[in-house]
Amino acid sequence: MAANVTYAEACETAMRALTLAGVPSDNARTQSDLLVEAELFDRPSHGLLRLPRIVARIRNGVADPVTTGVAAWRSAAFLQVDGLGGLGPVVAGAAVKEVCARAREAGIAVAAIANNNHLGMLSWYVERVARGGQTAIALSTSEALVHPWGGRRAMLGTNPIAIGVPAEPDPFVLDMATSIVSMGKIHDHAHRREPIPADWALDAAGEPTTDPDAAKLGAIAPFGGAKGYALGLAIEVLVSSLTSAALGTDVVGTLDAEKPCNKGDVFIIIDPVSDAVTGSISAYLDAIRACAPSDPDRPVMVPGDGSRSRRAERMAKGIPIAEDVWVAIRALAGDEISTTQEHSGGR
């Protein structure tokens, strides 16, 4: 059962929950915006489901609600950031703003971030940069959740990559994990008490499972077999080489509420060669969309199209949020919830 929540109501409730947890208003707005945008994009695994854990991490002293981190330029175009345990999008947002400004001068700039909390949906960052006229590449690591190709045990992160490139009327935006799904999506299935496909994950014994609770104790499959595994491993070692982040089974803090987060994040910002390039990219993407579809009922899209379509629909009709998640968010926001409301999902 789900509650149907307006965009304004979701933002306001998340803001109140974060403010009551000691997050300053600007930081609360940044964090809540990312979580609600994930809900609009139908990415509940990266949405409000994560808010109770964020609040718990703040209360447990492993997430600093105030800091934006400290940064130092190691070279003209390489920014080293210590997140000081801050909120993921708050620290990363400050770093991205700084490297965007430097890329306008140098043509390219990189931010390598350590000691930062979970970033959330990477497309949130790269789309904003691309709408500002620059290209962005975002890389992040996570706790060991994915088994190597041919293996039976989790040894590397889901290690997502996102790319945003300026185009008209909307930027090209790719956001994907190198696992077949994110662990957050498996948690979302567990919340909804829905089975997962048999090729998503292994249980703790290394056997395929459709039980999301068993999958949480096991390992997710890499996407695309050996190629997805290789890309995920490449991101893991690349990010660690730039941030000195922990590797593999030593990474903690992205799924629990008690341990300091020690994964790494990297943002690469590139200034376009010329505005003419944006025009040619836009025309190329439109040509792809105009390609004759193999299924007449499913037109060809490019990455980012589906998410924007779902966002527009949910802005108009409301956001379906799992009942137990919405009840938990409202409780953190200080709402009084009647027994009838709690069981109906209403407000």
Side-chain angles (χ1 to χ4, degrees):
M1 197 168 184
N4 191 63
V5 181
T6 67
Y7 170 74
E9 184 180 17
C11 290
E12 190 268 337
T13 305
M15 276 283 293
R16 281 192 288 115
L18 289 163
T19 301
L20 284 175
V23 184
S25 59
D26 285 349
N27 292 1
R29 187 171 297 106
T30 297
Q31 179 69 75
S32 63
D33 183 69
L34 183 146
L35 296 175
V36 176
E37 281 293 310
E39 297 288 351
L40 289 172
F41 283 5
D42 194 19
R43 297 276 297 277
S45 60
H46 287 63
L48 293 171
L49 173 68
R50 292 185 176 264
L51 184 52
R53 186 180 301 134
I54 292 169
V55 171
R57 290 184 64 79
I58 292 169
R59 290 173 176 169
N60 291 336
V62 291
D64 185 329
V66 177
T67 187
T68 58
V70 293
W73 288 99
R74 279 183 45 189
S75 70
F78 190 95
L79 185 69
Q80 196 83 50
V81 181
D82 181 346
L84 300 177
L87 299 178
V90 172
V91 171
V96 168
K97 182 178 180 180
E98 195 161 348
V99 291
C100 282
R102 183 60 59 94
R104 292 188 186 95
E105 303 171 4
I108 186 170
V110 177
I113 309 173
N115 193 22
N116 190 27
N117 277 282
H118 191 263
L119 287 186
M121 185 174 66
L122 293 187
S123 60
W124 186 82
Y125 304 89
V126 300
E127 178 156 3
R128 281 157 176 72
V129 173
R131 288 193 184 279
Q134 295 175 301
T135 291
I137 302 171
L139 309 168
S140 188
T141 56
S142 77
E143 296 182 37
L145 300 170
V146 179
H147 64 77
W149 175 243
R152 294 164 65 92
R153 173 176 172 247
M155 294 191 70
L156 59 153
T158 55
N159 300 349
I161 177 172
I163 299 172
V165 181
E168 296 295 341
D170 296 297
F172 170 88
V173 177
L174 167 73
D175 182 358
M176 56 173 277
T178 52
S179 56
I180 195 167
V181 292
S182 69
M183 180 56 83
K185 193 161 189 176
I186 290 175
H187 277 261
D188 181 56
H189 273 69
H191 268 280
R192 296 173 189 271
R193 297 178 176 83
E194 295 177 356
I196 60 174
D199 62 345
W200 275 16
L202 307 177
D203 62 18
E207 299 296 333
T209 182
T210 60
D211 181 350
D213 288 312
K216 290 190 289 185
L217 302 175
I220 307 172
F223 91 93
K227 291 184 178 180
Y229 156 60
L231 179 59
L233 183 56
I235 291 173
E236 183 114 18
V237 297
L238 174 62
V239 170
S240 182
S241 74
L242 297 175
T243 64
S244 299
L247 288 161
T249 55
D250 290 331
V251 180
V252 295
T254 65
L255 292 171
D256 63 79
E258 298 83 25
K259 299 171 185 174
C261 193
N262 61 357
K263 50 79 180 172
D265 312 311
V266 171
F267 290 88
I268 304 167
I269 309 299
I270 308 163
D271 233 37
V273 175
S274 70
D275 291 338
V277 174
T278 299
S280 63
I281 290 171
S282 303
Y284 174 55
L285 296 178
D286 284 342
I288 290 176
R289 293 182 179 103
C291 179
S294 56
D295 180 348
D297 294 327
R298 297 184 65 184
V300 176
M301 296 189 293
V302 300
D305 287 353
S307 294
R308 281 186 284 268
S309 176
R310 289 188 291 273
R311 186 186 193 281
E313 181 179 2
R314 291 183 170 205
M315 285 292 287
K317 298 180 179 179
I319 307 167
I321 300 174
E323 179 185 5
D324 59 341
V325 172
W326 185 237
V327 168
I329 302 307
R330 290 187 58 206
L332 290 172
D335 289 349
E336 292 186 8
I337 305 170
S338 71
T339 303
T340 300
Q341 288 176 318
E342 185 170 341
H343 287 286
S344 69
R347 184 168 186 180

